[in-house]
Amino acid sequence: MAKSPEEEHPVKAFGWAARDPSGHLSPFNFSRRATGEEDVRFKVLFCGVCHSDIHIIKNEWGSSQYPIVPGHEIVGEVTEVGSKVKKIKVGDKVGVGGIAEACGSCENCSNDLENYCPKSIYSHIGIYHDGTRIYGGYSDSMVVHEHYVVRFPDGIPLDVVGPLLCAGITVYSPLKYFGLGEPNKHVGIVGLGGLGHLAVKFAKALGSRVTVISTSPKKKDEALENLGADSFLVSHDQDQMEAVKGTMDGIIDTVSAAHPILPLIDLLKPHGKLVMVGGPEKPLELPVFPLIMGRKQVAGSGGGGMKEMQEMVDFAAKHNITADIEVISMDYVNTALDRLAKGDVRYRFVIDIGNTLATTKP
């Protein structure tokens, strides 16, 4: 007979979970494994709220298994380390993103691309090797192998850096890999939300000329004056779009809803790259002829490996790149998820786990 979530492991834990595709979250008792020789255990202080959390708790991607404790932008303070842990000590400020484990021996892992390991295990959903369920960061503690822990530089505020562990690496990695985050490169950023606002910040810090592409004219001042973009396009304004056809070296498309991509492909120079990092639940239509005529590419990118994750965090600290956030209490999370689904956040919700989770225990 299967053990209950509270009995699977020796260390008691508490968080908020969804029990069914309604996606409604409520208090949930479960357990974490004991700290292994190479494990790091930390008290969760903050956890970002990602749009993919909605897809997961509502089973919009068709692979969810309940109960689900979401959250993969997890930051906190180390409370215990295993006897063989080398790079982390008690008291360190650390974080865990979307990956909690990988095989360590495949070609991707050998090239510091654990995020593309076919046997990778997410930090917030799925099943461990021992058959027990994985629970994410909307909870009081985490335990993970030290290889999958990112260390934050001293003095950096933890609430504003949690979103870097998903939103940040999701945009930083393609900017680097596709050669778009460089001086003299013109980069379009589609969507000015949790991913998009960080894409603007990273692209500017890397030296690119940045154009924000949005459906909302109301975001122009925010993009230009507060985030430092060089120009702004309203995607449904045909005159604006026509005026800049063939001018962009690349585009990072952060939108998670279905949308046409032909107008974006038309903005690319020959050899330009449209990189998809959002996760629409329905397939997009891909027009092939415009790709052929300009040797253009449509590509995807999904996070980054642990080496690049630490590189990204260190780069962000050096250039003072943080997420623009709205801090919420644990008991506000369902309202926050509803607002996020409507795009009503600037630009990332972050749950104050350390100060508000315990008060929600039944």
Side-chain angles (χ1 to χ4, degrees):
M1 183 175 177
K3 293 182 178 180
S4 71
E6 291 182 79
E7 298 171 331
E8 285 184 330
H9 297 291
V11 181
K12 301 300 181 185
F14 175 71
W16 277 44
R19 273 74 166 189
D20 57 54
S22 71
H24 183 79
L25 300 174
S26 58
F28 177 65
N29 290 302
F30 63 105
S31 54
R32 299 272 188 204
R33 70 175 186 258
T35 306
E37 292 181 329
E38 299 177 311
D39 284 344
V40 172
R41 182 179 300 277
F42 63 94
K43 176 184 178 182
V44 178
L45 298 177
F46 297 96
C47 187
V49 179
C50 177
H51 199 281
S52 66
D53 293 343
I54 297 175
H55 293 304
I56 291 168
I57 62 177
K58 292 180 177 291
N59 196 27
E60 291 177 347
W61 290 336
S63 59
S64 299
Q65 300 179 54
Y66 299 92
I68 296 168
V69 177
H72 54 274
E73 299 177 344
I74 315 161
V75 297
E77 182 174 338
V78 176
T79 57
E80 184 181 12
V81 298
S83 59
K84 294 184 178 180
V85 170
K86 298 178 180 178
K87 68 175 184 178
I88 303 293
K89 64 182 185 301
V90 171
D92 282 350
K93 305 303 189 295
V94 299
V96 171
I99 301 297
E101 197 168 323
C103 76
S105 59
C106 70
E107 182 177 1
N108 287 317
C109 287
S110 298
N111 288 309
D112 300 310
L113 293 170
E114 298 92 343
N115 52 312
Y116 298 125
C117 171
K119 296 181 180 180
S120 63
I121 295 176
Y122 296 115
S123 60
H124 54 296
I125 188 170
I127 304 294
Y128 277 121
H129 300 302
D130 63 4
T132 60
R133 196 173 301 283
I134 295 166
Y135 299 110
Y138 293 14
S139 60
D140 55 9
S141 66
M142 288 291 294
V143 58
V144 66
H145 188 285
E146 71 162 330
H147 181 75
Y148 303 95
V149 175
V150 174
R151 187 183 182 280
F152 292 109
D154 293 336
I156 194 167
L158 294 184
D159 54 351
V160 292
V161 295
L164 298 180
L165 301 178
C166 175
I169 191 62
T170 296
V171 296
Y172 178 86
S173 183
L175 285 169
K176 295 286 286 185
Y177 179 79
F178 291 100
L180 302 177
E182 298 176 359
N184 302 317
K185 291 294 179 70
H186 183 193
V187 180
I189 306 298
V190 185
L192 197 61
L195 274 68
H197 89 288
L198 285 172
V200 174
K201 293 184 179 186
F202 276 114
K204 288 299 297 180
L206 289 163
S208 307
R209 181 160 68 93
V210 176
T211 295
V212 171
I213 306 164
S214 175
T215 59
S216 174
K218 297 178 181 179
K219 293 187 176 182
K220 180 177 181 178
D221 289 345
E222 174 72 13
L224 300 180
E225 297 176 14
N226 294 342
L227 296 176
D230 299 286
S231 53
F232 183 89
L233 290 176
V234 179
S235 59
H236 55 75
D237 187 316
Q238 294 184 0
D239 291 337
Q240 288 187 24
M241 297 289 280
E242 182 70 28
V244 293
K245 276 187 175 181
T247 65
M248 297 184 186
D249 297 285
I251 296 173
I252 305 294
D253 187 340
T254 72
V255 176
S256 291
H259 60 288
I261 62 173
L262 176 58
L264 303 176
I265 293 172
D266 286 343
L267 299 180
L268 295 171
K269 295 177 181 178
H271 320 292
K273 308 169 183 72
L274 171 60
V275 186
M276 313 299 293
V277 299
E281 59 186 278
K282 296 181 180 179
L284 304 182
E285 183 176 342
L286 177 63
V288 174
F289 195 68
L291 302 180
I292 295 172
M293 295 307 295
R295 194 187 274 173
K296 299 176 182 180
Q297 301 177 36
V298 177
S301 183
M306 296 313 303
K307 180 179 179 181
E308 188 173 47
M309 181 85 83
Q310 188 66 59
E311 173 192 303
M312 178 273 301
V313 166
D314 294 341
F315 180 89
K318 180 179 179 180
H319 294 273
N320 196 31
I321 296 173
T322 57
D324 293 1
I325 66 169
E326 180 178 335
V327 177
I328 62 170
S329 60
M330 189 71 250
D331 59 6
Y332 187 77
V333 68
N334 288 302
T335 301
L337 289 165
D338 289 340
R339 286 178 54 192
L340 176 59
K342 299 173 184 176
D344 179 23
V345 58
R346 182 182 171 277
Y347 286 98
R348 204 69 156 182
F349 286 117
V350 173
I351 307 169
D352 184 351
I353 299 288
N355 289 316
T356 69
L357 176 63
T359 62
T360 67
K361 286 185 177 181

